[in-house]
Amino acid sequence: MKVRKVTAAASVLLALSLTATACGGDDDKDDKGSGGGDKITIGIKFDQPGLGQKTPDGKYEGFDVDVATYVAKKLGHKADDIEWKEAKSADRETMLQRGDVDFIAATYSITPEREEKVDFAGPYLLAHQDVLVRADDKSIKSPKDLNSKKLCSVTGSTSAQNVKEKLAPKAQLQNYGAYSQCLTGLQNDAIDALTTDDSILAGYAAQKNFQGKFKLGGFKMTNENYGIGVKKGSDLKKKINDALTEMVKDGSWEKAVKDNFGPASYKNEPAPKIGDIVK
């Protein structure tokens, strides 16, 4: 009888011990981004060369990828700890709110509307809306020269509409399904200019098959402050800001810019200061 009582007590203690261990494990898992070899999930674009692209061989590359990898390292994660998830523009806030990702670095412009739903670290890049034209085209020297020109952007984008409404009312808008289609049209003289953020344009122009064929207008039509999105109230914001500050300080930020945009002769802005939002 005594043996059974001791065994029963031991079983209770063992169960309590396992429960406590399990609870502790869950706490560690919930505290993502704290390092310790745990996986970290990061949202990026999969289809933007020079910024966030999933290559045919399953690798990930671009400026946003370099920034996110650096930040993850400062948070205590190796490259192998990172799980990359595609963060399409329309899905980004929802992905953060649901906890699908720990943070998002995907040409994510900081806006008051988005700040109502998520928090932003950064900014880590100041981009501008611009145009990409053929390298030998000398007819487009300012936004007003886009009047009567065929101006391309992707379906659903507001970039081309902004130009038509505010700068070149006689521009002929051409909406294509993807930026790559706009580039083909630009190369084949079917369109005269492609418009979106200059960083995105530079990323495309820097690709080997396009090097030397296109140039940026340098018009700086808008200010786009790229930030790293995190869940509202997340303590990752400060940690990521610290990592971004260090990335600029040790020269890694400048190296990432040159590695990803250099072939396009992209005249980037200096690294922005944390919290400095240019209107």
Side-chain angles (χ1 to χ4, degrees):
M1 182 65 68
K2 287 184 178 180
V3 172
R4 283 198 297 272
K5 286 182 178 179
V6 171
T7 302
S11 298
V12 173
L13 288 172
L14 178 60
L16 289 173
S17 175
L18 289 173
T19 301
T21 302
C23 290
D26 287 344
D27 288 341
D28 290 341
K29 185 176 181 181
D30 289 341
D31 188 23
K32 288 185 177 182
S34 61
D38 295 331
K39 291 292 183 181
I40 185 168
T41 307
I42 302 173
I44 58 170
K45 291 293 180 66
F46 278 14
D47 59 353
Q48 288 184 344
L51 285 153
Q53 183 181 32
K54 183 177 182 180
T55 63
D57 58 358
K59 295 180 180 179
Y60 301 90
E61 58 186 27
F63 181 72
D64 284 347
V65 175
D66 289 348
V67 170
T69 301
Y70 184 98
V71 169
K73 181 179 179 181
K74 289 298 179 180
L75 293 176
H77 300 277
K78 298 178 181 178
D80 291 343
D81 295 333
I82 300 174
E83 178 186 355
W84 301 104
K85 276 195 175 182
E86 184 174 19
K88 295 182 179 179
S89 295
D91 300 334
R92 290 176 296 198
E93 285 84 44
T94 301
M95 291 176 71
L96 288 168
Q97 291 170 337
R98 285 193 313 225
D100 296 342
V101 293
D102 296 304
F103 66 81
I104 290 178
T107 58
Y108 204 179
S109 295
I110 302 172
T111 67
E113 295 76 17
R114 289 169 178 165
E115 287 183 305
E116 293 179 0
K117 301 176 182 179
V118 301
D119 284 340
F120 285 96
Y124 64 93
L125 184 71
L126 175 59
H128 308 281
Q129 185 181 341
D130 200 357
V131 297
L132 193 70
V133 299
R134 287 179 290 277
D136 60 354
D137 189 338
K138 299 180 180 179
S139 66
I140 301 176
K141 298 179 180 179
S142 69
K144 68 178 183 180
D145 293 329
L146 295 169
N147 281 306
S148 301
K149 298 287 187 179
K150 295 179 180 178
L151 179 65
C152 184
S153 194
V154 297
T155 303
S157 169
T158 59
S159 298
Q161 193 64 40
N162 286 340
V163 173
K164 185 172 177 63
E165 290 178 356
K166 302 174 182 178
L167 301 169
K170 294 182 180 180
Q172 302 174 32
L173 299 188
Q174 306 286 322
N175 290 317
Y176 286 19
Y179 290 120
S180 57
Q181 296 174 358
C182 286
L183 282 166
T184 300
L186 187 58
Q187 193 170 9
N188 297 334
D189 295 343
I191 61 170
D192 300 304
L194 160 61
T195 186
T196 187
D197 295 358
D198 55 7
S199 59
I200 297 174
L201 297 174
Y204 277 104
Q207 300 305 291
K208 289 183 179 179
N209 54 322
F210 292 134
Q211 287 180 18
K213 296 180 180 179
F214 306 118
K215 63 182 179 182
L216 278 76
F219 297 159
K220 298 184 178 181
M221 293 181 279
T222 63
N223 295 317
E224 307 296 335
N225 301 273
Y226 289 176
I228 293 182
V230 298
K231 191 173 183 177
K232 199 73 175 175
S234 173
D235 62 356
L236 279 181
K237 177 178 177 179
K238 182 182 184 306
K239 295 177 182 178
I240 293 173
N241 278 335
D242 290 343
L244 292 174
T245 300
E246 184 63 26
M247 186 176 188
V248 174
K249 185 177 179 181
D250 69 16
S252 298
W253 185 90
E254 188 66 34
K255 181 179 184 302
V257 168
K258 291 180 179 178
D259 288 347
N260 293 288
F261 303 127
S265 299
Y266 176 44
K267 297 179 181 178
N268 63 283
E269 298 280 5
K273 293 182 179 180
I274 299 301
D276 188 5
I277 308 298
V278 180
K279 302 297 185 180

